[in-house]
Amino acid sequence: MPAPLIALLVTALLIILAFLLFRPERGIIPRYRNTRYLSSRVYSEDALKHIYHCQLSGDRPSIESIAGALHITTDEAAGLLSQMENRGLLQLQENAICLTSTGREMALHIIRAHRLWERHLADETGYSELEWHDRAERHEHALSPEEVDALSAHLGHPSYDPHGDPIPTVDGELISLDAAPLTSADLHTPLHIVHIEDEPQSLYAQLVAEGLHPGMQVRLIERSPERILFWANGDEHVLAPIVAANISVSPLPEEYRTKPIYKGRLADLKPGESGEVQSISPACRGLERRRLMDLGVLPGTVIKSEINSPSGDPTAYRIRGAVIALREEQSNHIHITRFNQETA
Amino acid sequence: MFKEAQITANDILSSAKAARLQIRCNVHESLVEAIYTDAARIADRAVNRPGDEPRFDLDRTIDRLVTSRTWGFPIMLLLFTLVFWITISGANVPSGWLFSLFIDVIYPSLKNAAEALALPWWLSGFLIDGVYLSTAWVISVMLPPMAIFFPLFTLLEDFGYLPRVAFNLDNFFKKSGAHGKQSLSMMMGFGCNAAGVVATRIIDSPRERLIAIITNNFSLCNGRWPTQILIATIFIGALVPAHVAGLISALSVVGVAIFGVLLTFAVSWALSRTWLKGEASTFSLELPPYRPPRILQTIYTSIIDRTIIVLWRAVIFAMPAGAFIWLISNINISGISIAAHMIDFLNPFGLLLGLNGVILLAYVVAIPANEIVIPSILMLTVMVAGLTNISPGAGVIFELDSQADTLAVLNVGGWTLLTAINTMLFSLIHNPCSTTIYTIYKETGSRKWTIISTLLPLGMGIAVTFLVAQVWRLVEAIL
Amino acid sequence: MTTNEIKAAAPACDTCPFHHTANLMKLGVDMEDWDYVIALAGNPNTGKSTVFNALTGLHQHTGNWPGKTVTRAEGGFDYGEKRYKLVDLPGTYSLLSTTLDEEIARDFILFGQPDVTVVVVDATRLERNLNLVLQVLEITDRAVVCLNLMDEAQRHGFKVDDRRLARDLGVPVVPTVARYDKGMDKLLQAICDVATHRTICNPHRIQHLAPDLKQNVSQIAAQIKAVFPDLPNARWVALRLLDGDERIAEAIRQGELGDLTSGAPPDQSNLIHPIRLETV
């Protein structure tokens, strides 16, 4: 066998080995780190969170539900619970699992860490919506209470996470959401989305793909066992009831009702046409949103489409005197009312 | 007193906290709206427009031309070809002048002066053959093209054309997860990577700026063009009939540069999906009004700002490099110079990559300035091969007058076509020069990204040359 | 001082096309002793660096580009027997977002306490530029607006009434064409007048806040006034607190805000930030 072939084969082998070892998520080393992360502390913290959520929603946590939520066997779950009881985190009574005050505090800390981290991921990083939950699920265990406080201060003490869940305060106060699932909302009343459930991920991915976000104005049009038809910020959406049930809505406050529903997007304008900004979509967050506003894209601003790039995107717009190029995904976030008069 | 203030300060914070929970509107957004409302009102009162819209808007007319589907790209191509052509053809002459001034006039007189002063050979060798010669080399190769390229580029910038280039090209960059303005830092990189890295300041989105910094090294810089041209002429031009040799070797150099551009896109794409996935990203590109550039002032400031600063850094790094080359070639350990020891050590690895120990050592000593790669290769080859009749002395970098002589030396060094191709590839894909590395550190303020931008291209260069060498040899063995 | 002496002191001036103002002598970056500190703010691409160069004679490159100055540039000049230190801040559209550039500019105006803040404004795009001016005027009441690019405004066929603007903004407004060195002497005079308190500014403050915000702001501003009576920008500080700006909250907690009113320039070493690109 010629030497170069051997060299190439050896290299190929090394690459395959490195791939097996370091492949994200499924490589041997990431897996090893994963099992280490799933230490007993993490299990007990996740169990606390599960029990707390059950209590909030009025369900009764059980050994089976904990085993299901943590992906462990019921035997392991029973062992975990008795361990946690010994550490004074919970009390096992007949058929009931109750959190002690220490346990409750810890559960709230974890929830706070999770939601703040999601807020951070949404506002300050480029990760997609679908990644927030899993990343926060891992990172919540790594944050100490001091770090969580610092994070909260850094973010300007936000009250809600990007899904619309309230973030517990330092003192453990948790605002309860006054919301109902979209499936049981009244027909034809002005509503707005206050919360979108991010689990299970397959359903959440559908909601993200529809472009639905907390803060959007919606109106339920039709409800049948097969489908839910509704308007959200001017677009028609059709969802299966099981998916739509993950959207929580509440009636739109009176003072916002006067706002007209938008009639188009900035991206729809052709060169020479102009329109008046109605709103920036809630899907546009963090730095990106602030930058747009600093550039003068605000409700009431008149924007004229000037020229299109020869490569198709971006498009240059005249915004308050300056010509600024925006990419299509940005101009899609800007809702406008189009002007009818022809300005050729 | 102080204690009281402390208590009240906390009161302020707690009432602010309470108020924050009460306020239903988004504070930031309503503040921005309030400011713009006032701004619009004040501006309205102060500005007096005679007509509604000017009938003829020069800016829009130019814009329609330079961003039109038909003419946008040809105009761009034409302008940049022009800039590069003026740079390349205009730099040769002053480069030659500087060269003859530094090497043919000052160098011998320095040597004579050293002799007259009866300086010991090691001192004059270290200072004149080492430090002076490498610095002179770097200045005469680097200064003229930069003094032409940067002002030309700056004129286009001052006129307001460059943002339109970013506008035209943004879609391609968007697809690889980068910012359209990267096209400009990339082009600046063809002049000098360090200047290209500084030019990424115009990119205001953190992720896209990092991508532009890390990939800037794939723009074949001014210091590497001579290497490419020389080797392409000697080895690749020799493969084809003489009348097309010039064209083919030029095309192969352009091919390497285009390969670099493709690598920029590929690496940008990969980075934005892996390491840099989590960095925040935003886009905005202002197309400022066109302004007639003030030519003399622009030339003056761009020479001061860009050329001199970059040159100064290069000189600072070239001086110790010259000293280092001279020292390793003149200090002997057990009868052989340190350089020879290093070449022996690097040779097996070099051969694995289709290069050799001399080339690798030349790249190590040329970390401060890519300009001295070819002179170092020649000097080291001559030294290792013991061709004492050519070399002006150990550790003295030089270039040969004729290409035939250069080819002869390289043949003695065991060069083949594979060595030539891989040297060209490695010249494109290897670590940035120390000036650029230092600039990257200053711009990012981060060790992590400096190390990544240094090692990533080096690793890629090793991988590419290794693959080419092994496949080449495999094909050779089969044939 | 005769013209000869000036020439002797600044031989490099022969090559530069700038300023012939007799009282002006550039000092390069010699910052040993100065009487006043002037900050230069402005939107990107308004000719801010050109104004900087025209005032100091330093050749900072001025590109037709948004966002040229990332790190702070400094220079100095003499005028009317006083020495002025000029600090060029990064060009920003706003001071509210949390990008590094804006933080540097904001921190310098707030904590660096310049004697005068000059805001360079593009006369052709007044409305957009006033966004920044109004924000600066919320923070400091010692400012001068440099209405630059007047020639371009003329070329585009509209007039800007600088007196009206000065009345509405409550600070001096000086029309200039910095590229051709027009109006620079008047700008210097205005800077000097504000620095020496010959001109007292009465800056415009933002009026159209949302009602519930307005109420909360005035409540908290009153508290701030009680603790830091000399603070010129209590209302702005209150707004920042309501927006959850932790840097300002920290300044209140540490009493740093109190130091600002004493008039002593704070330690500026922490103002030189390296460019930080990583997120938390």
Side-chain angles (χ1 to χ4, degrees), chain C residues 202-218:
Chain C
N202 179 24
H204 173 95
R205 295 280 151 103
I206 296 154
Q207 288 155 0
H208 296 90
L209 285 175
D212 62 337
L213 189 59
K214 205 169 196 168
Q215 200 187 339
N216 279 301
V217 166
S218 42

Side-chain angles (χ1 to χ4, degrees), chain B residues 15 20 28 34-35 38 45-46 48 50 154 157-158 184 209 279 286 288 291-292 294 305 443-444, chain C residues 45 59 61 64-65 68 93 125 152 157 159 161 164 168 179 204 207-208 223 241-243 275 277:
Chain B
S15 54
R20 247 199 327 260
H28 185 87
I35 296 170
D38 280 19
R45 282 200 295 223
N48 181 11
T154 313
E157 180 178 345
D158 281 2
L184 305 178
R209 176 153 189 236
E279 297 285 334
E286 189 178 343
R291 283 169 195 158
R294 301 183 68 192
D305 259 23
E443 292 294 315
T444 59
Chain C
N45 207 38
H59 296 279
H61 174 70
N64 193 357
W65 256 116
K68 206 71 216 218
Y93 292 107
R125 291 175 294 172
E152 269 184 42
K159 295 196 182 85
D161 183 351
R164 178 86 212 216
D168 281 348
R179 276 158 55 86
H204 173 95
Q207 288 155 0
H208 296 90
Q223 278 182 322
L241 282 181
L242 287 177
D243 200 8
I275 301 162
L277 291 154

Side-chain angles (χ1 to χ4, degrees), chain B residues 160-476:
Chain B
Y161 180 65
L162 295 191
R164 274 73 185 182
V165 172
F167 179 68
N168 286 351
L169 292 175
D170 182 63
N171 210 7
F172 306 114
F173 283 90
K174 183 173 96 175
K175 284 185 180 131
S176 59
H179 197 295
K181 288 178 189 170
Q182 191 178 327
S183 55
L184 305 178
S185 63
M186 199 173 93
M187 261 174 285
M188 194 67 119
F190 283 117
C192 169
N193 293 138
V197 169
V198 175
T200 62
R201 286 179 183 183
I202 55 175
I203 301 173
D204 53 3
S205 170
R207 185 203 292 178
E208 283 78 359
R209 176 153 189 236
L210 267 178
I211 290 176
I213 288 177
I214 296 171
T215 56
N216 196 275
N217 187 41
F218 296 117
S219 290
L220 196 63
C221 75
N222 174 38
R224 292 181 273 172
W225 284 98
T227 312
Q228 300 282 348
I229 293 168
L230 182 73
I231 295 177
T233 319
I234 297 179
F235 285 92
I236 297 178
L239 293 177
V240 291
H243 62 278
V244 287
L247 182 70
I248 294 296
S249 46
L251 280 181
S252 61
V253 174
V254 173
V256 170
I258 290 175
F259 181 52
V261 174
L262 294 180
L263 276 178
T264 300
F265 280 110
V267 173
S268 301
W269 182 86
L271 281 173
S272 65
R273 272 155 189 81
T274 51
W275 270 325
L276 293 176
K277 194 163 74 169
E279 297 285 334
S281 151
T282 165
F283 178 85
S284 70
L285 172 63
E286 189 178 343
L287 302 181
Y290 291 100
R291 283 169 195 158
R294 301 183 68 192
I295 294 173
L296 287 179
Q297 191 191 323
T298 302
I299 291 174
Y300 178 78
T301 52
S302 78
I303 286 181
I304 293 291
D305 259 23
R306 285 181 174 149
T307 316
I308 298 297
I309 287 173
V310 169
L311 188 74
W312 178 238
R313 279 194 193 163
V315 166
I316 287 177
F317 285 111
M319 288 201 296
F324 179 72
I325 298 173
W326 191 85
L327 286 176
I328 59 168
S329 333
N330 282 285
I331 298 179
N332 291 349
I333 295 176
S334 54
I336 312 171
S337 68
I338 297 178
H341 280 294
M342 288 168 89
I343 290 168
D344 282 344
F345 175 74
L346 289 171
N347 213 28
F349 184 60
L351 291 176
L352 203 62
L353 304 183
L355 303 168
N356 58 41
V358 167
I359 299 173
L360 288 186
L361 181 60
Y363 273 103
V364 172
V365 299
I367 287 176
N370 280 298
E371 285 81 358
I372 57 173
V373 165
I374 287 291
S376 306
I377 288 177
L378 288 176
M379 187 273 287
L380 292 169
T381 308
V382 166
M383 192 182 75
V384 171
L387 299 171
T388 42
N389 56 328
I390 298 177
S391 161
V396 183
I397 58 175
F398 64 95
E399 203 156 60
L400 292 162
D401 291 336
S402 84
Q403 290 175 352
D405 289 346
T406 312
L407 179 61
V409 169
L410 293 179
N411 277 336
V412 171
W415 278 50
T416 61
L417 184 58
L418 171 66
T419 325
I421 288 174
N422 271 358
T423 306
M424 286 173 78
L425 285 174
F426 197 70
S427 160
L428 173 71
I429 325 168
H430 72 286
N431 54 287
C433 69
S434 51
T435 316
T436 307
I437 296 175
Y438 175 66
T439 310
I440 292 174
Y441 180 70
K442 276 189 74 178
E443 292 294 315
T444 59
S446 144
R447 268 199 208 123
K448 179 182 157 200
W449 294 117
T450 312
I451 291 171
I452 286 180
S453 355
T454 310
L455 296 186
L456 180 78
L458 183 63
M460 285 175 61
I462 290 173
V464 168
T465 47
F466 173 78
L467 274 180
V468 170
Q470 300 310 324
V471 171
W472 182 286
R473 285 178 189 148
L474 189 65
V475 172
E476 258 183 354

Side-chain angles (χ1 to χ4, degrees), chain A residues 41 45 48-49 52 101-117 136 139-149 151 167-174:
Chain A
R41 180 173 70 89
E45 284 177 355
L48 284 175
K49 214 165 56 166
Y52 186 81
S101 63
T102 335
R104 203 185 113 86
E105 227 169 77
M106 256 178 93
L108 274 168
H109 160 71
I110 294 297
I111 292 168
R112 183 166 139 87
H114 181 97
R115 293 182 179 170
L116 279 169
W117 194 251
H139 207 87
E140 64 191 17
H141 306 294
L143 291 169
S144 71
E146 294 74 33
E147 283 168 331
V148 172
D149 289 343
L151 180 65
I167 297 170
T169 63
V170 194
D171 323 314
E173 285 169 54
L174 187 62

Side-chain angles (χ1 to χ4, degrees), chain A residues 61-116:
Chain A
S62 65
I63 291 179
E64 288 76 21
S65 74
I66 290 170
L70 272 61
H71 305 292
I72 53 178
T73 64
T74 43
D75 279 349
E76 285 167 333
L80 181 68
L81 285 180
S82 67
Q83 237 180 52
M84 288 167 71
E85 189 180 24
N86 290 340
R87 285 169 53 206
L89 297 176
L90 45 80
Q91 286 171 324
L92 297 173
Q93 289 149 1
E94 229 179 305
N95 291 333
I97 304 168
C98 296
L99 292 178
T100 61
S101 63
T102 335
R104 203 185 113 86
E105 227 169 77
M106 256 178 93
L108 274 168
H109 160 71
I110 294 297
I111 292 168
R112 183 166 139 87
H114 181 97
R115 293 182 179 170
L116 279 169

Side-chain angles (χ1 to χ4, degrees), chain A residues 257-302:
Chain A
R257 279 190 199 180
T258 48
K259 282 195 182 174
I261 301 266
Y262 86 102
K263 305 224 169 44
R265 295 165 195 273
L266 186 60
D268 303 336
L269 291 185
K270 291 195 176 55
E273 295 179 330
S274 37
E276 185 185 307
V277 175
Q278 293 293 339
S279 63
I280 304 178
S281 154
C284 177
R285 295 172 308 263
L287 184 62
E288 174 104 42
R289 187 180 186 88
R290 290 186 170 197
R291 179 59 52 79
L292 281 179
M293 296 183 66
D294 288 341
L295 291 173
V297 180
L298 296 164
T301 306
V302 174

Side-chain angles (χ1 to χ4, degrees), chain A residues 113-295:
Chain A
H114 181 97
R115 293 182 179 170
L116 279 169
W117 194 251
E118 282 191 330
R119 187 82 251 171
H120 158 70
L121 291 176
D123 287 355
E124 300 185 328
T125 72
Y127 292 112
S128 82
E129 285 108 321
L130 297 176
E131 284 182 73
W132 296 343
H133 181 77
D134 283 351
R135 284 187 178 270
E137 197 69 3
R138 252 171 308 181
H139 207 87
E140 64 191 17
H141 306 294
L143 291 169
S144 71
E146 294 74 33
E147 283 168 331
V148 172
D149 289 343
L151 180 65
S152 172
H154 168 74
L155 293 169
H157 301 293
S159 311
Y160 295 94
D161 80 357
H163 306 294
D165 280 314
I167 297 170
T169 63
V170 194
D171 323 314
E173 285 169 54
L174 187 62
I175 321 167
S176 60
L177 276 183
D178 179 24
L182 180 63
T183 39
S184 61
D186 295 332
L187 289 177
H188 304 294
T189 39
L191 307 162
H192 67 161
I193 301 179
V194 291
H195 176 242
I196 287 186
E197 181 53 51
D198 58 355
E199 278 182 308
Q201 216 194 29
S202 55
L203 297 188
Y204 180 59
Q206 285 189 47
L207 296 173
V208 169
E210 293 278 325
L212 297 168
H213 290 272
M216 280 181 139
Q217 303 183 13
V218 291
R219 197 184 277 259
L220 192 59
I221 303 296
E222 187 196 312
R223 173 174 37 210
S224 72
E226 291 80 36
R227 60 177 215 158
I228 304 284
L229 180 98
F230 61 101
W231 283 81
N233 272 32
D235 280 339
E236 197 184 77
H237 296 269
V238 181
L239 289 174
I242 184 173
V243 183
N246 279 349
I247 305 173
S248 306
V249 292
S250 73
L252 192 62
E254 200 70 53
E255 63 261 36
Y256 295 108
R257 279 190 199 180
T258 48
K259 282 195 182 174
I261 301 266
Y262 86 102
K263 305 224 169 44
R265 295 165 195 273
L266 186 60
D268 303 336
L269 291 185
K270 291 195 176 55
E273 295 179 330
S274 37
E276 185 185 307
V277 175
Q278 293 293 339
S279 63
I280 304 178
S281 154
C284 177
R285 295 172 308 263
L287 184 62
E288 174 104 42
R289 187 180 186 88
R290 290 186 170 197
R291 179 59 52 79
L292 281 179
M293 296 183 66
D294 288 341
L295 291 173

